[in-house]
Amino acid sequence: MRKPLATVPEIAEHYGVPQKTVHRWHQTKTGPGALMFPVGRYLRARWEDIDRYDAEQATGGQRAA
């Protein structure tokens, strides 16, 4: 089953940060912000990409197997 795309509020909740921080990550292409893309006037990210990013961070930035 296909997961819906992650929204800015969902990403902010996932990381425990304000939505403004998520927007700044996207603008600077840092952290998970580099995974985000516009859908119309909204920013979205694939949950699979976020999960992969989290796994990489848990292994010290190395790609998880």
Side-chain angles (χ1 to χ4, degrees):
M1 184 169 141
R2 184 180 283 190
K3 282 184 172 180
L5 296 174
T7 64
V8 170
E10 290 171 333
I11 295 168
E13 182 178 341
H14 177 76
Y15 289 108
V17 299
Q19 291 181 35
K20 192 172 193 174
T21 298
V22 175
H23 284 284
R24 185 174 50 241
W25 286 341
H26 173 68
Q27 290 171 344
T28 60
K29 300 294 184 205
T30 57
L35 307 173
M36 300 176 71
F37 53 91
V39 176
R41 65 181 187 152
Y42 302 101
L43 288 175
R44 298 288 187 261
R46 291 178 185 87
W47 280 112
E48 297 83 18
D49 293 341
I50 292 171
D51 292 340
R52 188 177 314 111
Y53 174 82
D54 291 347
E56 289 173 7
Q57 295 308 301
T59 60
Q62 301 297 316
R63 290 212 165 246

